Amino acid sequence: MRKQLIGAGLRVIRASRIDRVTANLTRGLGAILMFHHVRPDNPERAGFRPNGFLEITPEFLDAVIVTLRRLGFEILDLDAAAAWIAGPSRPEAQPFAVLTFDDGYRDNVEHALPVLRRHGAPFTLYVTTGFADRTARLWWHELELAIARADEIDVEIGSERLKLPAAGDAEKTRAYEILYRRLRGGPEETLLTVIGELADRYGVDGRKLVEDECLDFQEIVALAREPLCTIGAHTLTHPMLAKHDIAVVRRELGESRQLIAAQIGRAVSDVAYPVGDPTSAGPREFSAARDAGFVTGVTTRPGMIFACHAAHLTALPRLSINGNWQEIGYVEALLSGVPFALWNGGRRLNVA
Ligand SMILES: [Zn+2]
């Protein structure tokens, strides 16, 4: 339902051409784009794809870059963008775009890098050290694979017993949504325990999943030599930081920064907060990131970048390139900044 509403809104914005009229007001200085997986479509998984929004095709990445340049966006690396945001104000007719990839997926090297190279487009890859050394868990993938293999979900979450039918694609999708929402709202330990039990029950090997999907340090070190690439940090274990003690937050931010820097032989000045919504990263995390030595920090809060972000460089919003919306018209509407102006009620800064 929400998906349909958003789609309708984006179509209205495109049809009305309101994006052209208001762009100078709503687009601001530019945008930081967020990507996850980049790989060819897998038709086998067409029916039940709860994580499909985290995945686009290489052709669509290509089309996004072409569109950015056609619309006059200059593609910058994060250092240059930070200087641009904090520096003397630029003409808004010449916006910037930053391309960012979260988690450190191997498909980013296999399928995104050739496209980025072809366009000479700089990009940032945020590495979770626990994915690189195979100690952290892609719990949202584990949950998807477990439900894909189940006919019925029967779990205990705290004192509550949850039984959900999961026979066909529609039931699986609904079961995923209910479980995801229920677990995401609670403590991280419960989420990891419940999904771990489901993974065991349905023979999902979490470690193998990470090995299959994520770059290891050897591959990350090789990628770091790529002149277009900036390596950023995405913590040690990919936790929802705001749910943990400040000591955990400091360790996750500081140690991941040092570990990655030691591996790639270069300072790491950029961080992406895992999950990145307000329940995962807030003012405490934004200042902890600064204390840990990061210059920029990106969230998953939606929004464009304005001059007022100069005072909040570790609390930057992003524009999600959503795999469920692989149509250039939607991306153009988002790049106008109009949807964010509406969603954020005209507010440019969302850092509380
Ligand atoms: Zn992530």
Side-chain angles (χ1 to χ4, degrees):
M1 187 57 195
R2 184 159 177 266
K3 197 170 141 181
Q4 269 122 35
L5 278 176
I6 294 170
L10 291 175
R11 271 192 296 277
V12 167
I13 289 164
R14 286 296 298 153
S16 66
R17 311 306 304 165
I18 192 175
D19 49 335
R20 297 243 167 120
V21 180
T22 61
N24 286 340
L25 286 172
T26 56
R27 194 179 54 198
L29 299 174
I32 302 173
L33 278 59
M34 169 174 61
F35 303 90
H36 289 82
H37 291 282
V38 178
R39 57 190 173 196
D41 250 340
N42 181 353
E44 274 171 40
R45 296 178 34 239
F48 171 55
R49 295 176 90 235
N51 290 304
F53 69 103
L54 297 175
E55 178 166 344
I56 63 163
T57 65
E59 293 74 27
F60 193 66
L61 174 63
D62 189 280
V64 170
I65 293 172
V66 167
T67 301
L68 284 169
R69 295 229 163 107
R70 176 168 53 76
L71 295 174
F73 283 80
E74 184 170 353
I75 301 174
L76 300 178
D77 65 29
L78 261 176
D79 270 0
W84 185 305
I85 298 164
S89 60
R90 298 277 182 148
E92 293 201 340
Q94 191 192 33
F96 74 80
V98 179
L99 310 179
T100 65
F101 297 81
D102 286 16
D103 301 328
Y105 294 118
R106 185 170 291 120
D107 57 48
N108 291 174
V109 170
E110 277 173 26
H111 297 292
L113 185 58
V115 176
L116 295 158
R117 273 194 187 133
R118 195 159 66 236
H119 289 286
F123 65 97
T124 297
L125 186 101
Y126 293 109
V127 168
T128 296
T129 61
F131 293 153
D133 68 17
R134 284 45 174 132
T135 56
R137 287 171 51 197
L138 294 163
W139 55 261
W140 56 97
H141 283 264
E142 291 179 15
L143 181 61
E144 174 180 347
L145 290 173
I147 294 177
R149 294 175 185 182
D151 288 323
E152 185 193 49
I153 294 295
D154 187 351
V155 287
E156 271 175 43
I157 303 177
S159 57
E160 185 193 351
R161 177 134 180 231
L162 208 57
K163 280 180 100 164
L164 301 162
D169 289 338
E171 283 181 356
K172 289 182 192 299
T173 300
R174 184 170 165 273
Y176 185 96
E177 277 170 13
I178 290 170
L179 262 178
Y180 181 90
R181 206 173 316 132
R182 179 73 179 72
L183 292 168
R184 263 286 310 277
E188 187 126 27
E189 295 75 17
T190 308
L191 177 149
L192 291 171
T193 304
V194 170
I195 294 178
E197 283 166 6
L198 279 174
D200 284 347
R201 197 180 307 164
Y202 293 102
V204 176
D205 184 341
R207 184 184 164 105
K208 181 165 185 307
L209 188 60
V210 174
E211 285 171 357
D212 289 345
E213 298 281 352
C214 299
L215 299 165
D216 63 22
F217 270 122
Q218 202 182 339
E219 291 167 304
I220 290 163
V221 167
L223 181 62
R225 293 195 203 104
E226 167 67 50
L228 292 170
C229 178
T230 302
I231 300 287
H234 199 36
T235 72
L236 301 169
T237 66
H238 205 273
M240 293 175 263
L241 292 169
K243 297 190 177 199
H244 295 270
D245 291 346
I246 186 64
V248 173
V249 174
R250 292 196 191 288
R251 197 172 84 83
E252 287 278 348
L253 294 170
E255 287 186 18
S256 64
R257 179 168 180 264
Q258 286 162 12
L259 248 166
I260 297 166
Q263 288 280 345
I264 66 172
R266 205 184 306 156
V268 174
S269 52
D270 311 293
V271 64
Y273 307 102
V275 186
D277 68 320
T279 70
S280 309
R284 185 187 68 165
E285 287 67 40
F286 304 151
S287 64
R290 239 183 348 258
D291 295 346
F294 291 108
V295 177
T296 73
V298 294
T299 66
T300 59
R301 299 180 191 218
M304 306 297 283
I305 306 295
F306 296 93
C308 51
H309 283 109
H312 303 275
L313 287 179
T314 57
L316 298 173
R318 285 191 288 178
L319 187 163
S320 170
I321 300 298
N322 185 319
N324 292 331
W325 301 110
Q326 294 188 61
E327 284 184 42
I328 280 304
Y330 293 149
V331 175
E332 283 187 44
L334 291 173
L335 286 169
S336 72
V338 171
F340 306 117
L342 298 174
W343 292 333
N344 294 332
R347 195 175 42 158
R348 292 181 164 191
L349 212 51
N350 174 12
V351 296

